[in-house]
Amino acid sequence: MTIASQDRLQQPIIAGVVTALVGFTSSFAVVIAGLRAVGASPEQAASGLLALTVVFGLGAVVLSVRSRAPVTLAWSTPGAAMLAGMGASYHAGWPAAVGAFLLVGLAILMTGLVPALGELIVRIPTPIAQAMLAGVLLTLCLAPMRSLVEVPLLTLPVLAVWLTATRWLPRWALPLALVTALVVIGIHVAVSGEAVSSANWLPTLTFTVPTWDVGAVVGIAVPLFIVTMASQNIPGVAVLSSFGYVTPWRAAMTVTGVGTMVAAPFGGHAVNLAALSAALSAGEEAGPDRSRRWIAGVSSGLSYLFLAGLSGALVTVAAIAPGGLVEAVAGLALLGTFASAVVGAFTAVATRVPAALTFVAAASGVTFFGIGGAFWGLVIGLVAYGVLRPDPEPA
């Protein structure tokens, strides 16, 4: 192999590794917060993190090799944020949440097999979908401020590093904030003399027998499916398309749907196409030769399999972190997504009121008939949109 060939191979490999590092470190805290909010124990949350990472790591390798395109996968970060926002309003229990995760996987699989389902998701007005997303993200985006009030001396270094890195190293801002948080937690534990058990540092899979609860099905499965499709899968297709690649839609929905169903009994909430991080493997960072960028997808998948081994340790650290410090990092990770969702929800004047109703209902955390605010926000927004939509101009 010539030096030029080695360079052309090295670029997509490094791009894939960077994709995995940025994708994992910037959002794993959101996943932990989401799983814990719907009843997972630390062991079950670690199992979910492990199962998700292994499944979408393998899925990225399979899809990239099969399609010869840089297809990268991820967990549903907005979906995890939605779960985190449920908090005390969720009472159905962890097995019921696992049952809802299984149904999300089935729905994703059916979306690939029945095109009409995908078209139905696309027909949801974008401002309404964005308003629901903004509403479910709001609670977690407030976490940095809550942490700043509760433990200011521990939170300030994290915020300072994140803000500084956002200015000069934006791609690495969240990983650097995470590293800072881990250092701060380590210093706090050392100073306080708190005992830390090493029993759960190694990742293990914990199986949960799913149960079926109407409130969990309607309050978790329906909005989780919609958020995952509208905020991850459809943008993921658009990102690949912007770089000249055709997403293998049916294969991708089959892999992510089946993958979600496999991960669900072990605590995984949803697997989907990567959106923002997908550009790292599909763009110029993966090398000038577009025909070789599929290697970046494979490299990202293999890197995720390595990172899966950290799941137990990360959940253990999150459990001992004071004052919601890890949730604060999760909130920082979602600020950009939240801002984009707010802009998408309220830019159009004609849909501003329905979007506002959707936003406040989704953000309120209220529960009716055991069903959370995300679902009711979508229903209220769609009804308001239907009532307030201007009549079409006469021909």
Side-chain angles (χ1 to χ4, degrees), residues 302-330:
L302 296 176
S303 299
Y304 276 123
L305 294 179
F306 172 79
L307 291 170
L310 302 176
S311 56
L314 291 173
V315 174
T316 300
V317 171
I320 63 175
L325 197 58
V326 173
E327 286 79 2
V329 177

PDB file of all heavy atoms in Angstrom, residues 302-330:
ATOM      1  N   LEU A 302     -17.182   0.535  15.108  1.00  0.00           N
ATOM      2  CA  LEU A 302     -16.198  -0.202  15.907  1.00  0.00           C
ATOM      3  C   LEU A 302     -15.767   0.604  17.134  1.00  0.00           C
ATOM      4  O   LEU A 302     -15.552   0.039  18.218  1.00  0.00           O
ATOM      5  CB  LEU A 302     -14.985  -0.542  15.047  1.00  0.00           C
ATOM      6  CG  LEU A 302     -15.252  -1.497  13.862  1.00  0.00           C
ATOM      7  CD1 LEU A 302     -13.998  -1.684  13.026  1.00  0.00           C
ATOM      8  CD2 LEU A 302     -15.772  -2.842  14.367  1.00  0.00           C
ATOM      9  N   SER A 303     -15.664   1.918  16.968  1.00  0.00           N
ATOM     10  CA  SER A 303     -15.301   2.772  18.102  1.00  0.00           C
ATOM     11  C   SER A 303     -16.390   2.753  19.168  1.00  0.00           C
ATOM     12  O   SER A 303     -16.102   2.748  20.374  1.00  0.00           O
ATOM     13  CB  SER A 303     -15.045   4.206  17.629  1.00  0.00           C
ATOM     14  OG  SER A 303     -13.985   4.253  16.697  1.00  0.00           O
ATOM     15  N   TYR A 304     -17.654   2.745  18.731  1.00  0.00           N
ATOM     16  CA  TYR A 304     -18.755   2.662  19.688  1.00  0.00           C
ATOM     17  C   TYR A 304     -18.694   1.358  20.483  1.00  0.00           C
ATOM     18  O   TYR A 304     -19.008   1.331  21.692  1.00  0.00           O
ATOM     19  CB  TYR A 304     -20.096   2.783  18.981  1.00  0.00           C
ATOM     20  CG  TYR A 304     -20.535   4.210  18.719  1.00  0.00           C
ATOM     21  CD1 TYR A 304     -20.824   4.653  17.433  1.00  0.00           C
ATOM     22  CD2 TYR A 304     -20.675   5.105  19.773  1.00  0.00           C
ATOM     23  CE1 TYR A 304     -21.232   5.960  17.199  1.00  0.00           C
ATOM     24  CE2 TYR A 304     -21.085   6.413  19.547  1.00  0.00           C
ATOM     25  CZ  TYR A 304     -21.363   6.832  18.263  1.00  0.00           C
ATOM     26  OH  TYR A 304     -21.760   8.123  18.048  1.00  0.00           O
ATOM     27  N   LEU A 305     -18.307   0.267  19.834  1.00  0.00           N
ATOM     28  CA  LEU A 305     -18.209  -1.008  20.547  1.00  0.00           C
ATOM     29  C   LEU A 305     -17.159  -0.922  21.652  1.00  0.00           C
ATOM     30  O   LEU A 305     -17.322  -1.499  22.730  1.00  0.00           O
ATOM     31  CB  LEU A 305     -17.854  -2.124  19.562  1.00  0.00           C
ATOM     32  CG  LEU A 305     -18.919  -2.454  18.506  1.00  0.00           C
ATOM     33  CD1 LEU A 305     -18.427  -3.562  17.587  1.00  0.00           C
ATOM     34  CD2 LEU A 305     -20.229  -2.862  19.169  1.00  0.00           C
ATOM     35  N   PHE A 306     -16.088  -0.188  21.399  1.00  0.00           N
ATOM     36  CA  PHE A 306     -15.077   0.026  22.436  1.00  0.00           C
ATOM     37  C   PHE A 306     -15.641   0.892  23.569  1.00  0.00           C
ATOM     38  O   PHE A 306     -15.464   0.588  24.748  1.00  0.00           O
ATOM     39  CB  PHE A 306     -13.835   0.681  21.830  1.00  0.00           C
ATOM     40  CG  PHE A 306     -12.825   1.122  22.846  1.00  0.00           C
ATOM     41  CD1 PHE A 306     -11.969   0.207  23.433  1.00  0.00           C
ATOM     42  CD2 PHE A 306     -12.744   2.460  23.233  1.00  0.00           C
ATOM     43  CE1 PHE A 306     -11.038   0.624  24.397  1.00  0.00           C
ATOM     44  CE2 PHE A 306     -11.824   2.872  24.189  1.00  0.00           C
ATOM     45  CZ  PHE A 306     -10.967   1.938  24.762  1.00  0.00           C
ATOM     46  N   LEU A 307     -16.325   1.966  23.206  1.00  0.00           N
ATOM     47  CA  LEU A 307     -16.862   2.883  24.218  1.00  0.00           C
ATOM     48  C   LEU A 307     -17.946   2.227  25.069  1.00  0.00           C
ATOM     49  O   LEU A 307     -18.188   2.654  26.205  1.00  0.00           O
ATOM     50  CB  LEU A 307     -17.424   4.128  23.531  1.00  0.00           C
ATOM     51  CG  LEU A 307     -16.387   5.056  22.888  1.00  0.00           C
ATOM     52  CD1 LEU A 307     -17.077   6.105  22.032  1.00  0.00           C
ATOM     53  CD2 LEU A 307     -15.514   5.718  23.946  1.00  0.00           C
ATOM     54  N   ALA A 308     -18.604   1.195  24.527  1.00  0.00           N
ATOM     55  CA  ALA A 308     -19.646   0.502  25.295  1.00  0.00           C
ATOM     56  C   ALA A 308     -19.110  -0.034  26.610  1.00  0.00           C
ATOM     57  O   ALA A 308     -19.845  -0.123  27.608  1.00  0.00           O
ATOM     58  CB  ALA A 308     -20.236  -0.641  24.465  1.00  0.00           C
ATOM     59  N   GLY A 309     -17.822  -0.352  26.635  1.00  0.00           N
ATOM     60  CA  GLY A 309     -17.231  -0.873  27.858  1.00  0.00           C
ATOM     61  C   GLY A 309     -17.177   0.129  29.004  1.00  0.00           C
ATOM     62  O   GLY A 309     -16.942  -0.254  30.154  1.00  0.00           O
ATOM     63  N   LEU A 310     -17.404   1.406  28.700  1.00  0.00           N
ATOM     64  CA  LEU A 310     -17.359   2.441  29.738  1.00  0.00           C
ATOM     65  C   LEU A 310     -18.708   2.674  30.406  1.00  0.00           C
ATOM     66  O   LEU A 310     -18.804   3.480  31.332  1.00  0.00           O
ATOM     67  CB  LEU A 310     -16.875   3.770  29.129  1.00  0.00           C
ATOM     68  CG  LEU A 310     -15.504   3.765  28.457  1.00  0.00           C
ATOM     69  CD1 LEU A 310     -15.233   5.137  27.827  1.00  0.00           C
ATOM     70  CD2 LEU A 310     -14.412   3.417  29.461  1.00  0.00           C
ATOM     71  N   SER A 311     -19.757   1.995  29.931  1.00  0.00           N
ATOM     72  CA  SER A 311     -21.110   2.323  30.385  1.00  0.00           C
ATOM     73  C   SER A 311     -21.287   2.150  31.892  1.00  0.00           C
ATOM     74  O   SER A 311     -21.886   3.003  32.559  1.00  0.00           O
ATOM     75  CB  SER A 311     -22.136   1.468  29.631  1.00  0.00           C
ATOM     76  OG  SER A 311     -21.846   0.086  29.777  1.00  0.00           O
ATOM     77  N   GLY A 312     -20.785   1.056  32.451  1.00  0.00           N
ATOM     78  CA  GLY A 312     -20.952   0.839  33.887  1.00  0.00           C
ATOM     79  C   GLY A 312     -20.276   1.914  34.717  1.00  0.00           C
ATOM     80  O   GLY A 312     -20.854   2.438  35.672  1.00  0.00           O
ATOM     81  N   ALA A 313     -19.040   2.263  34.349  1.00  0.00           N
ATOM     82  CA  ALA A 313     -18.296   3.272  35.096  1.00  0.00           C
ATOM     83  C   ALA A 313     -18.968   4.635  35.014  1.00  0.00           C
ATOM     84  O   ALA A 313     -19.045   5.372  36.010  1.00  0.00           O
ATOM     85  CB  ALA A 313     -16.860   3.355  34.571  1.00  0.00           C
ATOM     86  N   LEU A 314     -19.470   4.987  33.827  1.00  0.00           N
ATOM     87  CA  LEU A 314     -20.086   6.299  33.661  1.00  0.00           C
ATOM     88  C   LEU A 314     -21.361   6.430  34.478  1.00  0.00           C
ATOM     89  O   LEU A 314     -21.624   7.490  35.077  1.00  0.00           O
ATOM     90  CB  LEU A 314     -20.377   6.545  32.177  1.00  0.00           C
ATOM     91  CG  LEU A 314     -19.145   6.746  31.294  1.00  0.00           C
ATOM     92  CD1 LEU A 314     -19.538   6.800  29.826  1.00  0.00           C
ATOM     93  CD2 LEU A 314     -18.388   8.013  31.683  1.00  0.00           C
ATOM     94  N   VAL A 315     -22.172   5.382  34.519  1.00  0.00           N
ATOM     95  CA  VAL A 315     -23.402   5.437  35.317  1.00  0.00           C
ATOM     96  C   VAL A 315     -23.059   5.496  36.804  1.00  0.00           C
ATOM     97  O   VAL A 315     -23.722   6.191  37.582  1.00  0.00           O
ATOM     98  CB  VAL A 315     -24.306   4.232  35.001  1.00  0.00           C
ATOM     99  CG1 VAL A 315     -25.521   4.212  35.929  1.00  0.00           C
ATOM    100  CG2 VAL A 315     -24.778   4.295  33.559  1.00  0.00           C
ATOM    101  N   THR A 316     -22.016   4.781  37.230  1.00  0.00           N
ATOM    102  CA  THR A 316     -21.591   4.833  38.627  1.00  0.00           C
ATOM    103  C   THR A 316     -21.164   6.244  39.014  1.00  0.00           C
ATOM    104  O   THR A 316     -21.521   6.754  40.080  1.00  0.00           O
ATOM    105  CB  THR A 316     -20.427   3.853  38.870  1.00  0.00           C
ATOM    106  OG1 THR A 316     -20.861   2.519  38.560  1.00  0.00           O
ATOM    107  CG2 THR A 316     -19.962   3.903  40.315  1.00  0.00           C
ATOM    108  N   VAL A 317     -20.405   6.882  38.121  1.00  0.00           N
ATOM    109  CA  VAL A 317     -19.975   8.266  38.384  1.00  0.00           C
ATOM    110  C   VAL A 317     -21.179   9.191  38.441  1.00  0.00           C
ATOM    111  O   VAL A 317     -21.273  10.071  39.308  1.00  0.00           O
ATOM    112  CB  VAL A 317     -18.986   8.729  37.299  1.00  0.00           C
ATOM    113  CG1 VAL A 317     -18.716  10.223  37.435  1.00  0.00           C
ATOM    114  CG2 VAL A 317     -17.681   7.952  37.406  1.00  0.00           C
ATOM    115  N   ALA A 318     -22.129   9.001  37.519  1.00  0.00           N
ATOM    116  CA  ALA A 318     -23.325   9.846  37.502  1.00  0.00           C
ATOM    117  C   ALA A 318     -24.125   9.702  38.789  1.00  0.00           C
ATOM    118  O   ALA A 318     -24.726  10.661  39.278  1.00  0.00           O
ATOM    119  CB  ALA A 318     -24.193   9.494  36.295  1.00  0.00           C
ATOM    120  N   ALA A 319     -24.123   8.488  39.351  1.00  0.00           N
ATOM    121  CA  ALA A 319     -24.898   8.252  40.564  1.00  0.00           C
ATOM    122  C   ALA A 319     -24.313   8.960  41.777  1.00  0.00           C
ATOM    123  O   ALA A 319     -25.053   9.319  42.705  1.00  0.00           O
ATOM    124  CB  ALA A 319     -24.995   6.743  40.832  1.00  0.00           C
ATOM    125  N   ILE A 320     -22.985   9.172  41.797  1.00  0.00           N
ATOM    126  CA  ILE A 320     -22.367   9.820  42.960  1.00  0.00           C
ATOM    127  C   ILE A 320     -22.136  11.308  42.741  1.00  0.00           C
ATOM    128  O   ILE A 320     -21.700  12.007  43.646  1.00  0.00           O
ATOM    129  CB  ILE A 320     -21.020   9.148  43.303  1.00  0.00           C
ATOM    130  CG1 ILE A 320     -20.020   9.311  42.154  1.00  0.00           C
ATOM    131  CG2 ILE A 320     -21.214   7.687  43.646  1.00  0.00           C
ATOM    132  CD1 ILE A 320     -18.638   8.773  42.472  1.00  0.00           C
ATOM    133  N   ALA A 321     -22.440  11.795  41.538  1.00  0.00           N
ATOM    134  CA  ALA A 321     -22.214  13.210  41.237  1.00  0.00           C
ATOM    135  C   ALA A 321     -23.134  14.089  42.083  1.00  0.00           C
ATOM    136  O   ALA A 321     -24.330  13.821  42.192  1.00  0.00           O
ATOM    137  CB  ALA A 321     -22.455  13.483  39.762  1.00  0.00           C
ATOM    138  N   PRO A 322     -22.615  15.137  42.703  1.00  0.00           N
ATOM    139  CA  PRO A 322     -23.442  15.998  43.557  1.00  0.00           C
ATOM    140  C   PRO A 322     -24.244  17.021  42.753  1.00  0.00           C
ATOM    141  O   PRO A 322     -23.837  17.447  41.680  1.00  0.00           O
ATOM    142  CB  PRO A 322     -22.394  16.720  44.416  1.00  0.00           C
ATOM    143  CG  PRO A 322     -21.181  16.783  43.528  1.00  0.00           C
ATOM    144  CD  PRO A 322     -21.203  15.529  42.704  1.00  0.00           C
ATOM    145  N   GLY A 323     -25.382  17.385  43.296  1.00  0.00           N
ATOM    146  CA  GLY A 323     -26.129  18.521  42.790  1.00  0.00           C
ATOM    147  C   GLY A 323     -26.540  18.476  41.335  1.00  0.00           C
ATOM    148  O   GLY A 323     -26.655  19.507  40.688  1.00  0.00           O
ATOM    149  N   GLY A 324     -26.782  17.289  40.790  1.00  0.00           N
ATOM    150  CA  GLY A 324     -27.199  17.206  39.396  1.00  0.00           C
ATOM    151  C   GLY A 324     -26.150  17.666  38.414  1.00  0.00           C
ATOM    152  O   GLY A 324     -26.474  18.200  37.352  1.00  0.00           O
ATOM    153  N   LEU A 325     -24.874  17.435  38.737  1.00  0.00           N
ATOM    154  CA  LEU A 325     -23.795  17.935  37.885  1.00  0.00           C
ATOM    155  C   LEU A 325     -23.783  17.259  36.522  1.00  0.00           C
ATOM    156  O   LEU A 325     -23.556  17.912  35.496  1.00  0.00           O
ATOM    157  CB  LEU A 325     -22.450  17.729  38.592  1.00  0.00           C
ATOM    158  CG  LEU A 325     -21.262  18.523  38.055  1.00  0.00           C
ATOM    159  CD1 LEU A 325     -21.528  20.022  38.103  1.00  0.00           C
ATOM    160  CD2 LEU A 325     -20.002  18.186  38.853  1.00  0.00           C
ATOM    161  N   VAL A 326     -24.039  15.960  36.494  1.00  0.00           N
ATOM    162  CA  VAL A 326     -24.075  15.255  35.209  1.00  0.00           C
ATOM    163  C   VAL A 326     -25.280  15.700  34.386  1.00  0.00           C
ATOM    164  O   VAL A 326     -25.188  15.865  33.164  1.00  0.00           O
ATOM    165  CB  VAL A 326     -24.094  13.730  35.440  1.00  0.00           C
ATOM    166  CG1 VAL A 326     -24.314  12.984  34.127  1.00  0.00           C
ATOM    167  CG2 VAL A 326     -22.783  13.276  36.071  1.00  0.00           C
ATOM    168  N   GLU A 327     -26.399  15.934  35.056  1.00  0.00           N
ATOM    169  CA  GLU A 327     -27.569  16.455  34.337  1.00  0.00           C
ATOM    170  C   GLU A 327     -27.276  17.840  33.762  1.00  0.00           C
ATOM    171  O   GLU A 327     -27.810  18.214  32.711  1.00  0.00           O
ATOM    172  CB  GLU A 327     -28.781  16.519  35.270  1.00  0.00           C
ATOM    173  CG  GLU A 327     -29.409  15.184  35.594  1.00  0.00           C
ATOM    174  CD  GLU A 327     -28.639  14.426  36.666  1.00  0.00           C
ATOM    175  OE1 GLU A 327     -27.629  14.960  37.177  1.00  0.00           O
ATOM    176  OE2 GLU A 327     -29.050  13.293  36.990  1.00  0.00           O
ATOM    177  N   ALA A 328     -26.421  18.606  34.449  1.00  0.00           N
ATOM    178  CA  ALA A 328     -26.041  19.917  33.936  1.00  0.00           C
ATOM    179  C   ALA A 328     -25.285  19.776  32.618  1.00  0.00           C
ATOM    180  O   ALA A 328     -25.504  20.546  31.674  1.00  0.00           O
ATOM    181  CB  ALA A 328     -25.186  20.667  34.959  1.00  0.00           C
ATOM    182  N   VAL A 329     -24.392  18.789  32.542  1.00  0.00           N
ATOM    183  CA  VAL A 329     -23.686  18.530  31.280  1.00  0.00           C
ATOM    184  C   VAL A 329     -24.682  18.109  30.206  1.00  0.00           C
ATOM    185  O   VAL A 329     -24.584  18.524  29.039  1.00  0.00           O
ATOM    186  CB  VAL A 329     -22.611  17.446  31.480  1.00  0.00           C
ATOM    187  CG1 VAL A 329     -21.928  17.111  30.157  1.00  0.00           C
ATOM    188  CG2 VAL A 329     -21.570  17.901  32.501  1.00  0.00           C
ATOM    189  N   ALA A 330     -25.659  17.297  30.584  1.00  0.00           N
ATOM    190  CA  ALA A 330     -26.693  16.889  29.620  1.00  0.00           C
ATOM    191  C   ALA A 330     -27.464  18.102  29.111  1.00  0.00           C
ATOM    192  O   ALA A 330     -27.786  18.196  27.913  1.00  0.00           O
ATOM    193  CB  ALA A 330     -27.647  15.891  30.282  1.00  0.00           C
TER     194      ALA A 330
END
